[in-house]
Amino acid sequence: MLCWARSCRLPRGALGPSTPSFSRVPVIRSSSNGQREGKRRPLPLSYRLLDGETTLPAIVLLHGLFGSKTNFNSIAKALAQQTGRRVLTVDARNHGDSPHSPDVSYEAMCQDLQSLLPQLDLAPCALIGHSMGGKTAMLLALQRPELVERLIAVDISPVKTTGTSKFATYVAAMKSIDIPDKMPRSQARKLADKQLSHAVQDMAMRQFLLTNLVEVDGHFQWRVNLDALAEHLDEIMNFPPQQEPYSGPTLFLLGGSSHYVCPSHHPEIRRLFPGARIQTVPNANHWVHADRPQDFMAAVQSFLV
């Protein structure tokens, strides 16, 4: 059963200065694992679409774990202005304003996009995915190549992501947050940051996680589905085995200071994406688009030509 408190296409408020509004998240209620075992049904994802030239392939941006479509606000606006293309940013299921579901598989996330892209008349598109979004993008290109004109995977590869202990720590830290009801938002954010700091020492990471803290009727909660993500974290870190390659133009855009993609991953990249180009952005960590936005934009625009 799909329970909606509010449905919208625009970015939902997070507890931060740039996103002042707040709202509830729709939840898919399930008493069994039937949805995963039977036929999956796509969820109505929350999105933001910037207008552009309809004769050019649209650009679609997919965020990573714990992220949302607002992560790409500046990049999306710049791409729309500089390329003249339509630009779509999307909240993955269990993130942002999109519905929650016990099914967090990449197959399910792909099915959501298989429904949304034709609905918006955006296929085939130039698909750009970061981290978890990059794995979703790769799987969609491999399984439904007619929907993907070209592909950019940002600091991720089609193999299992190692070093997952930090993500489990983030989830546990977020679940342990205790904020009194009716507390002013500014104080609530400071308190949540202080409580997170015991387990998450990196201030930038704490600020990123705190974009998921929202106020609903005076009660503070996380908009990301922590229970589902915690239960299936290993599945999110993995990548579904694939046989048939994607022959379209592909760019793997890596952070020079990141360790998410190793040389040992290159053979599998070449096998599944024989036309792939691997490019490194110097002095960028995992969040390439946030660390080096101008270099990221230059790489993307060069690949789109």
Side-chain angles (χ1 to χ4, degrees), residues 145-184:
E146 73 278 7
L147 299 180
V148 182
E149 185 264 339
R150 62 187 57 218
L151 169 70
I152 301 179
V154 183
D155 208 53
I156 204 67
S157 65
V159 301
K160 184 173 183 177
T161 302
T162 57
T164 61
S165 58
K166 286 187 177 181
F167 290 107
T169 299
Y170 298 158
V171 171
M174 293 168 76
K175 293 180 76 170
S176 70
I177 294 300
D178 184 19
I179 301 175
D181 290 350
K182 307 298 184 180
M183 176 177 280

Side-chain angles (χ1 to χ4, degrees), residues 166-222:
K166 286 187 177 181
F167 290 107
T169 299
Y170 298 158
V171 171
M174 293 168 76
K175 293 180 76 170
S176 70
I177 294 300
D178 184 19
I179 301 175
D181 290 350
K182 307 298 184 180
M183 176 177 280
R185 290 197 291 267
S186 60
Q187 294 182 29
R189 183 182 179 88
K190 290 179 181 178
L191 178 59
D193 182 66
K194 181 179 179 179
Q195 293 179 10
L196 279 178
S197 67
H198 299 299
V200 186
Q201 284 76 37
D202 188 320
M203 181 182 295
M205 176 54 69
R206 292 200 306 274
Q207 297 305 305
F208 173 65
L209 297 176
L210 284 169
T211 62
N212 288 289
L213 189 63
V214 296
E215 181 188 13
V216 178
D217 298 332
H219 175 71
F220 292 93
Q221 62 189 44
W222 298 105

Side-chain angles (χ1 to χ4, degrees), residues 72-241:
F72 284 112
N73 274 353
S74 297
I75 293 291
K77 184 178 179 180
L79 284 172
Q81 290 176 341
Q82 295 176 24
T83 69
R85 300 184 185 217
R86 295 163 293 167
V87 180
L88 178 75
T89 52
V90 186
D91 284 334
R93 59 171 55 205
N94 296 310
H95 292 74
D97 279 326
S98 287
H100 287 183
S101 167
D103 190 348
V104 301
S105 67
Y106 285 110
E107 290 85 353
M109 287 189 271
C110 278
Q111 189 155 11
D112 295 339
L113 292 171
Q114 290 174 32
S115 173
L116 180 64
L117 294 178
Q119 172 192 329
L120 298 177
D121 196 25
L122 298 181
C125 67
L127 188 58
I128 304 173
H130 169 249
S131 199
M132 180 190 77
K135 289 192 173 184
T136 302
M138 286 187 282
L139 187 61
L140 183 64
L142 290 165
Q143 294 188 341
R144 295 290 304 275
E146 73 278 7
L147 299 180
V148 182
E149 185 264 339
R150 62 187 57 218
L151 169 70
I152 301 179
V154 183
D155 208 53
I156 204 67
S157 65
V159 301
K160 184 173 183 177
T161 302
T162 57
T164 61
S165 58
K166 286 187 177 181
F167 290 107
T169 299
Y170 298 158
V171 171
M174 293 168 76
K175 293 180 76 170
S176 70
I177 294 300
D178 184 19
I179 301 175
D181 290 350
K182 307 298 184 180
M183 176 177 280
R185 290 197 291 267
S186 60
Q187 294 182 29
R189 183 182 179 88
K190 290 179 181 178
L191 178 59
D193 182 66
K194 181 179 179 179
Q195 293 179 10
L196 279 178
S197 67
H198 299 299
V200 186
Q201 284 76 37
D202 188 320
M203 181 182 295
M205 176 54 69
R206 292 200 306 274
Q207 297 305 305
F208 173 65
L209 297 176
L210 284 169
T211 62
N212 288 289
L213 189 63
V214 296
E215 181 188 13
V216 178
D217 298 332
H219 175 71
F220 292 93
Q221 62 189 44
W222 298 105
R223 63 178 179 176
V224 67
N225 188 351
L226 291 177
D227 290 337
L229 298 182
E231 184 176 354
H232 300 288
L233 195 55
D234 285 344
E235 184 176 4
I236 295 170
M237 295 301 112
N238 219 327
F239 187 76

Side-chain angles (χ1 to χ4, degrees), residues 282-296:
N283 304 314
N285 288 298
H286 183 52
W287 283 267
V288 182
H289 51 286
D291 291 341
R292 308 290 294 183
Q294 292 183 335
D295 293 338
F296 177 84

Side-chain angles (χ1 to χ4, degrees), residues 257-277:
S257 302
S258 173
H259 303 289
Y260 273 70
V261 181
C262 306
S264 60
H265 299 178
H266 291 187
E268 186 67 356
I269 289 175
R270 300 295 186 194
R271 184 182 74 85
L272 291 177
F273 303 95
R277 203 171 86 215

